[in-house]
Amino acid sequence: MSDQPYEGYGEGYTPYAQQQPQQAQEPQPQAWPGHQQQAYDDPQAAQQYTQQWQGQTWDTQVQRSRPAASDLAYFPPQNYQAPTPGYDPYAQVPLTAPPAAPSAEEGYGPPSLAGNARITDAQRARLEGRSPIIEPGMQPAGLTAVLALLLAVTAQVGSYALVVPLVVLQAVTAAGWFRLNGMWPARQGIALAFAGALVADVALLAAGRENGPAAILGTLGVWVLLSLVTQLRSHADPDTRITSLMATVASAALAIVATGHLAADPDAVTVGAAAVAVAILARALPLPTVASVVVSLLAAAGAGIAAGGMTGMGAKGALLGAGAAVCALIGHRVASYDYPSRFVHFTAGVALPLAAAAPVVYVLGRALA
């Protein structure tokens, strides 16, 4: 055998076959770094260098040991605040905090350990003693006036010209009602309500103004049944289906009822639309609520007289204008309820006054003509 060391194993390596059997020796205790090896005959000396485990155990009583000063040097100082006497971290905390006036700057309620259930802006306003009503304002009122003037002008041109702004009114009504009820997105319900309005328009154009009530009521009955069948096929929970059914039926009803402008006498449409435009603009003025309502009704009656003089209805237009203004103010109030969003103001706030005034325009227009 060669005395050269094996390659890759280093100097001093001896194959297993050439190793000499050695007698089994008991392992010697290893010395700690920096200390001399010694026999631990003395129990106290042995315990001094024996490693002891001080971790968390399954003991029922938690053992708290104070860390050494050298261990604390590795951690930055922390501002520790001792719990108040009588504090119980496992105490049952209610899910909702009791009503309290929030901060004027932040607008949030008091903090709680278990969180706070989300409340709407309207609920927070009630807790703070404020009204949950926010009126649309001057810009939506201006859009309502523009749409009303389009209805007034196209009504004198013809039925097919009147359909153009009427379809816009019906589409905005369907979308705004769902958003006003907090249901968004609701594409299926909006499409269903808008389709009902289109069917009512087509049926009325085909049947004529003299058969307007039959066309409107027939379409409304069919769409209520269709909405019911649609919701019965839904896989949502019962509460959600009931809410969706009511919103769909109400949205379809408002959009279909707006077809009353197409069924009414053209002069009545002109007078009623002009009165709604003036009433909503007057309602948006910065006046107290009672004074604003009175001014709106008076302005609507004056607009009715003026429009009646141009259309041949005469002074009877004051009654028609006042009646249309009352319905318009009701629709305006509905669009202001429960802290609506900006989208609601520019949809329901624009369309509901005109849609709500359609039945009165039809009934009073036929009665006064």
Side-chain angles (χ1 to χ4, degrees):
M1 298 295 293
S2 174
D3 296 334
Q4 298 295 330
Y6 285 83
E7 297 181 359
Y9 292 94
E11 185 177 359
Y13 174 80
T14 305
Y16 180 78
Q18 299 180 6
Q19 292 181 0
Q20 299 296 331
Q22 299 179 0
Q23 297 180 357
Q25 297 181 359
E26 296 181 358
Q28 298 295 332
Q30 300 294 331
W32 287 90
H35 296 275
Q36 297 180 358
Q37 183 176 0
Q38 58 180 337
Y40 300 127
D41 297 335
D42 189 1
Q44 297 182 355
Q47 186 178 4
Q48 180 179 1
Y49 297 100
T50 302
Q51 184 178 3
Q52 297 182 1
W53 181 260
Q54 295 184 358
Q56 184 179 3
T57 63
W58 291 101
D59 192 3
T60 57
Q61 296 182 355
V62 179
Q63 301 292 335
R64 296 184 179 179
S65 59
R66 183 176 182 182
S70 59
D71 296 334
L72 296 177
Y74 292 97
F75 299 95
Q78 299 180 358
N79 296 327
Y80 174 76
Q81 183 178 1
T84 58
Y87 171 75
D88 187 4
Y90 300 100
Q92 297 292 334
V93 182
L95 294 179
T96 57
S103 175
E105 298 179 357
E106 299 180 357
Y108 296 98
S112 61
L113 297 177
N116 190 9
R118 184 182 182 276
I119 61 175
T120 63
D121 293 335
Q123 293 173 343
R124 181 178 290 109
R126 293 189 183 97
L127 293 177
E128 297 174 2
R130 296 185 288 108
S131 174
I133 302 296
I134 296 181
E135 298 179 356
M138 184 58 70
Q139 291 181 350
L143 294 178
T144 302
V146 170
L147 188 57
L149 292 178
L150 289 176
L151 291 173
V153 173
T154 55
Q156 299 297 319
V157 176
S159 299
Y160 290 95
L162 180 60
V163 168
V164 177
L166 179 61
V167 169
V168 176
L169 172 63
Q170 291 167 336
V172 176
T173 301
W177 184 261
F178 276 94
R179 188 63 183 91
L180 181 62
N181 287 267
M183 304 179 65
W184 190 265
R187 300 180 182 91
Q188 182 179 1
I190 294 173
L192 184 62
F194 182 58
L198 294 180
V199 170
D201 296 341
V202 173
L204 195 146
L205 290 175
R209 281 195 175 96
E210 60 277 5
N211 298 320
I216 294 175
L217 295 178
T219 305
L220 182 58
V222 171
W223 243 251
V224 169
L225 181 61
L226 184 60
S227 302
L228 181 60
V229 173
T230 303
Q231 294 303 322
L232 288 177
R233 297 183 60 185
S234 175
H235 298 285
D237 57 277
D239 293 338
T240 303
R241 282 187 292 179
I242 291 297
T243 304
S244 179
L245 175 62
M246 299 304 297
T248 304
V249 170
S251 178
L254 288 171
I256 293 173
V257 165
T259 312
H261 290 291
L262 190 61
D265 183 75
D267 293 341
V269 175
T270 301
V271 173
V276 170
V278 174
I280 295 301
L281 288 175
R283 184 68 178 85
L285 296 177
L287 297 174
T289 302
V290 177
S292 178
V293 171
V294 173
V295 171
S296 299
L297 294 178
L298 293 178
I305 295 176
M310 292 185 295
T311 58
M313 185 173 288
K316 297 179 181 179
L319 181 59
L320 178 59
V326 170
C327 295
L329 293 179
I330 293 175
H332 181 272
R333 181 70 174 184
V334 172
S336 308
Y337 180 70
D338 203 13
Y339 268 73
S341 63
R342 185 177 179 85
F343 185 87
V344 172
H345 283 165
F346 281 92
T347 52
V350 172
L352 284 184
L354 287 170
V360 174
V361 170
Y362 174 79
V363 174
L364 290 182
R366 290 181 62 88
L368 298 176

